[in-house]
Structures are given as structure tokens and as C-alpha cells.
Amino acid sequence: MAADELPVIDVSALVDGVGDRDEVAAAIDSACREHGFFTITGHGVDRALLDRLDEQARSFFALDEEEKAEIAMPRAGRAWRGWFPVGGELTSGTPDRKEGVYFGAELGPDDPKVQAGIPLHGSNLFPDRPAGLRATVLEVIDAFTTLGHQLMVGFALALGLDAGWFDRELTQDPTVLFRIFHYPPLPVDAAPEPGWGVGEHTDYGLLTILVQDETGGLELRTQGKWISVPARRDALVCNLGDMLERMTGGRYRSTPHRAHSPRASGRISCPFFFDPGWDAEVRAIVEPETSVDDSTGRWDGASVFDFDGTYGDYLLRKVAKVFPDLREQALEQPLDP
């Protein structure tokens, strides 16, 4: 395999028990040490479901802004769900060239977390059109949550832990978030330099599972250079978040990545974040193999090791910087830098 080629891992042994789990775990370990990114086949998620998601997402984003704004994020309050327009989300203080919809676990008003007013928990906002989007999104969240639990068995074995470690210690009640992003094409007279739909960043939690269309444009920074992440119809993309870097002492890295704006037609990208429970405190589980100071090489200059508190604390501080106006409205107070 070339140094700039991402590994493709058949995870069916984790999904349906057919095959050697230890072999899959070894492949995951190698990919996490080398790139922090890999693609998976044998994941068990129905391709027809993902095709339906793509079709309905395009139908929604084709609506005029007035209709999309009926589910605008400020309407969800502390639940932090709904639609934002192009430029409405920031990466490192710079507006992204994308629009999107935030979703999460569907929680009713009687849920204890909702009653306690915990941010990022609550009911989703769904549009009237397309009518089937609600059912599709909730089915995708269920399917990816199941897959997340299955993949964490592979991570546990890769780290020399027992198969049920993550479910027992961190993800018995995972924080799950789902996004549908639309990257509109650049104007025909745009400069030849890359236009960034989203700039360099890392993800915050444990594991991101991404379904993307075949447009391409996603890149990761590994081994000192940027490489493209192939857009394969038969595969999902997986990448690590900050918490796996933190708990492995840098053995696994939360890899910086970014996405080009497309040149011809709009790009649909749907990341699912499978993260520790809101109240979990993420601590080191393996000794660092070398002394790690990641602050100088990270996109934001902030070390994932210089943090104390729960995962909910970490996530809230990160997400709140993405929507500074919404932060003050939903949380009713500014956050510390």
C-alpha cells in the first residue's frame, strides 16, 4: 500500500461475527497509528437507505431559504438542532462555504437530560418537505449508532482491552450527533486556487463515520502532507476524534482534515459522531510511547491533553465557538475562550 493510500478494512467480523475480529483489530490499530483515517466495507448499513438520504437531502437544500429557515437552529434553543445557511458556521473563526442541518438523538420533553436543560439534548427539527426526511434521518442515526458500538469492539481489541470496555466505560449511553452538509459549487468565475468548504479542523469525540457522495474534495493531513480521501460508493469513511488521541497518549491521532468546495455540482456530506457519554471523564488508558506535545502541530494550537472535566464540557466549549451568536442565545451566557 502506498504511503498516501488510505487502508480499506472489511469490518464484517465486527458486524456479523463472520471472520477474525483480531485481524480486523490489527488493521484498525495500524490505520490509527499511521493516518487516523480509514475506509470500511462490510459495515452492514443498507445502501438503499443511504441513497434515500442523499436524494432527500438534495431535495431539502434545493428549497428556498425562507422555507429552510422554518427549521433554523435558533428555533431549537438549547437542543442546538436545525438548519444554518452558507456562512453560518465558523471554523477557526472563518465562515464555512457550506449549509447544513444538525440532528441528534431524538429525545422528548420527559427525558431527564432535557428536563435538566442540558445543551445539545432534545427534539430534532424536521422540515415539512421532503416528507420522508424525518424517518430517514432517524433510521440512519439508529443504524450508525449500532455500527459505532460494533466498531468500538475493534478499537478495544486493538488497544489490548476486553471487547466490551468502551460500552462499559464510555459509550453505554453515547453522545451521538448527526449532520447533513451541502457544499454549493464555486462560481464559474472563481479563482483557480482551492475554495474551502470547511477549513482545517479535527473532530472532538471518539469516532466519526462519514457517508459522502462521489464528488470528492475531502483531504487529511498525514505524515506532513495533505492527501485526498477517496469517495467510494461501497465504503464509509472513519476518522478519529480528539478523545481517542487523549486516551491513547498520542498513539492514535485526531487527524486534521478539510474539504474543497466543489467546482461543478453541490456536494453532500453526512458525518455521524459517536462520542463518549456526556458525563464521562476521558482519561488515559495506555502509556504514551513517546513524550507528546501536540499543541504546536494542531490546527487550533490547543492540546487535547490540557483539559479537565467531562466530555460534555469539552464538546460544549468546542461547538459553542462554531456558532457564537447561537451560543449566547441557547446557553444564555457567554463561554470562556
Side-chain angles (χ1 to χ4, degrees):
M1 181 179 297
D4 60 355
E5 183 178 348
L6 286 188
V8 179
I9 304 174
D10 183 343
V11 297
S12 55
L14 302 175
V15 172
D16 56 24
V18 177
D20 187 339
R21 292 195 310 181
D22 290 335
E23 183 178 325
V24 176
I28 289 174
D29 182 68
S30 177
C32 291
R33 288 170 178 263
E34 187 172 6
H35 295 302
F37 264 76
F38 54 95
T39 58
I40 60 172
T41 59
H43 48 72
V45 180
D46 185 4
R47 184 65 239 184
L49 171 63
L50 301 181
D51 288 343
R52 188 164 75 247
L53 173 67
D54 183 271
E55 178 182 356
Q56 292 172 347
R58 293 180 189 279
S59 294
F60 173 75
F61 290 121
L63 300 173
D64 60 48
E65 291 211 349
E66 182 178 1
E67 185 168 354
K68 288 183 285 192
E70 292 176 2
I71 61 164
M73 290 186 73
R75 299 193 177 196
R78 297 175 75 86
W80 223 294
R81 314 289 173 85
W83 172 78
F84 66 88
V86 174
E89 184 173 27
L90 307 181
T91 299
S92 296
T94 301
D96 296 336
R97 285 201 80 256
K98 71 175 189 295
E99 61 179 319
V101 192
Y102 272 38
F103 301 101
E106 180 72 7
L107 303 176
D110 295 334
D111 185 274
K113 291 186 176 68
V114 177
Q115 291 189 336
I118 297 176
L120 276 68
H121 292 75
S123 298
N124 291 294
L125 298 180
F126 292 105
D128 292 332
R129 298 192 300 163
L133 185 61
R134 182 184 192 278
T136 297
V137 165
L138 294 180
E139 188 176 349
V140 168
I141 290 175
D142 285 346
F144 279 16
T145 300
T146 296
L147 178 59
H149 284 290
Q150 293 165 335
L151 291 175
M152 294 319 297
V153 171
F155 281 94
L157 296 176
L159 292 167
L161 305 169
D162 66 88
W165 190 91
F166 279 96
D167 276 355
R168 186 175 63 251
E169 301 293 337
L170 284 182
T171 58
Q172 185 177 37
D173 181 20
T175 301
V176 296
L177 303 170
F178 181 56
R179 315 287 188 240
I180 301 178
F181 292 139
H182 170 236
Y183 295 80
L186 289 169
V188 293
D189 58 351
E193 293 81 9
W196 298 114
V198 58
E200 179 181 348
H201 67 284
T202 59
D203 296 340
Y204 311 137
L206 285 176
L207 175 66
T208 302
I209 305 170
L210 173 71
V211 55
Q212 58 177 338
D213 67 17
E214 297 175 60
T215 303
L218 178 61
E219 296 182 343
L220 67 98
R221 181 160 59 83
T222 181
Q223 301 175 356
K225 62 182 179 179
W226 288 96
I227 66 172
S228 296
V229 177
R232 290 184 47 166
R233 177 175 168 78
D234 64 335
L236 300 174
V237 177
C238 292
N239 68 273
L240 313 186
D242 294 346
M243 293 301 101
L244 264 173
E245 178 170 346
R246 177 181 172 88
M247 66 195 302
T248 62
R251 172 175 166 179
Y252 293 172
R253 290 300 182 96
S254 179
T255 306
H257 49 286
R258 64 191 184 186
H260 291 277
S261 290
R263 289 280 175 177
S265 60
R267 173 177 181 255
I268 298 294
S269 174
C270 305
F272 174 84
F273 304 98
F274 186 85
D275 294 344
W278 187 263
D279 296 323
E281 293 192 20
V282 181
R283 303 185 184 279
I285 58 171
V286 296
E287 291 297 323
E289 297 179 352
T290 59
S291 177
V292 176
D293 177 11
D294 68 334
S295 60
T296 57
R298 282 178 58 89
W299 62 283
D300 57 359
S303 172
V304 298
F305 305 105
D306 294 338
F307 170 77
D308 291 313
T310 65
Y311 177 64
D313 294 333
Y314 184 83
L315 176 62
L316 196 58
R317 289 179 180 275
K318 292 290 187 179
V319 174
K321 292 181 179 180
V322 173
F323 296 100
D325 294 337
L326 181 61
R327 172 188 69 194
E328 297 196 15
Q329 173 194 333
L331 302 179
E332 300 174 355
Q333 62 180 14
L335 292 181
D336 294 333

